Amino acid sequence: MSETETGTARETAAHDTVEAAVRAQLTKALGGVRGMVEAAVPTIAFTATYVAAKDVKLAVGAGVGAAVVLLLVRIAQRSSPQFVLNSLFGIAIAAFFALRSGKAENAFLPGIMLNAGYAAAMIFSIAVRWPVVGFIIGSVTGDPTAWRADPGIVRLCSRLTWLLVLPCILRVGVQYPIYLADGDQSGLLGPAKIVMGWPLQVAALAAMVWLLARGRTPIQRGDPAESEKPA
């Protein structure tokens, strides 16, 4: 058995219920408090610099610079740079939009579009009864689709996926009208993105934890030996 398979087996054995598995995987996906702070810092640096100096290039430099510093800290500590790299990628796209147009507010357009795309994709997954949270269960059990055999788990995953959809809808519903308003709206978009970033994500996670804490759905794990038998 490979090291990856061994790690997966240990993680699977650590969770006896669907609720515990989903709760653990969602926490890991957000990167904890540090991961969420790392996602917010470049935006804070970009917005604060632009509000103070009214210079798009300087603001972009501050945002990218903050992300690079966070990345160097991760490398120095030999910890996973995944969430910093995500943040760096995001601020790089925002910088491209802002520098290309010369308008600071356009730095926030990719995030608005991304949230709209996420919301549409997750709503579609619920509509076709393949809610995206179900694949979290699949990542723990080792079978990516077996969870669909249990209607109760499908319903649970649909409710959990809706809790992920709501922050995306709220972000688009608040930020897009600000973006469309006349004049430079970057001074409003920056704080709106920060306030509706990780705080909303934490609220969604808290709602998930509350929902998951109410249930004790056992994880049905197949016998690996059985899955290896020829059909």
Side-chain angles (χ1 to χ4, degrees):
M1 179 180 288
S2 69
E3 185 177 340
T4 301
E5 290 170 336
T6 301
T8 301
R10 287 175 183 167
E11 189 171 327
T12 301
H15 306 298
D16 295 322
T17 66
V18 170
E19 289 79 10
V22 174
R23 191 162 56 242
Q25 291 295 313
L26 287 173
T27 301
K28 182 189 296 184
L30 290 173
V33 174
R34 182 174 180 178
M36 290 184 284
V37 169
E38 287 172 339
V41 165
T43 300
I44 294 173
F46 173 88
T47 305
T49 302
Y50 183 77
V51 170
K54 297 297 180 182
D55 188 318
V56 174
K57 292 183 179 179
L58 185 61
V60 166
V64 173
V68 170
V69 169
L70 292 172
L71 178 60
L72 292 175
V73 170
R74 282 282 192 176
I75 293 173
Q77 295 176 341
R78 296 184 179 180
S79 58
S80 172
Q82 173 189 347
F83 299 100
V84 178
L85 289 174
N86 291 343
S87 178
L88 184 58
F89 180 71
I91 196 69
I93 294 177
F96 172 78
F97 273 72
L99 292 173
R100 185 179 182 183
S101 65
K103 297 180 179 179
E105 61 187 12
N106 283 345
F108 301 95
L109 184 58
I112 296 171
M113 295 169 61
L114 187 62
N115 274 281
Y118 279 154
M122 286 189 285
I123 291 173
F124 178 77
S125 77
I126 295 169
V128 298
R129 295 184 59 77
W130 283 89
V132 295
V133 173
F135 294 99
I136 294 175
I137 297 172
S139 71
V140 175
T141 62
D143 188 328
T145 60
W147 55 272
R148 292 200 74 247
D150 188 330
I153 293 180
V154 174
R155 287 193 295 272
L156 171 65
C157 291
S158 294
R159 290 195 292 269
L160 291 171
T161 302
W162 273 117
L163 290 175
L164 289 180
V165 170
L166 287 176
C168 295
I169 292 176
L170 285 172
R171 289 173 191 136
V172 175
V174 170
Q175 295 174 32
Y176 191 55
I178 296 176
Y179 173 79
L180 292 178
D182 293 335
D184 182 4
Q185 300 298 324
S186 55
L188 290 177
L189 286 169
K193 181 173 181 176
I194 294 165
V195 171
M196 304 188 80
W198 63 265
L200 265 186
Q201 208 67 39
V202 170
L205 180 60
M208 288 178 170
V209 169
W210 176 81
L211 181 62
L212 294 169
R214 301 174 63 196
R216 296 284 299 174
T217 309
I219 290 179
Q220 301 296 327
R221 300 186 178 93
D223 184 348
E226 290 293 327
S227 63
E228 292 174 3
K229 290 180 180 180

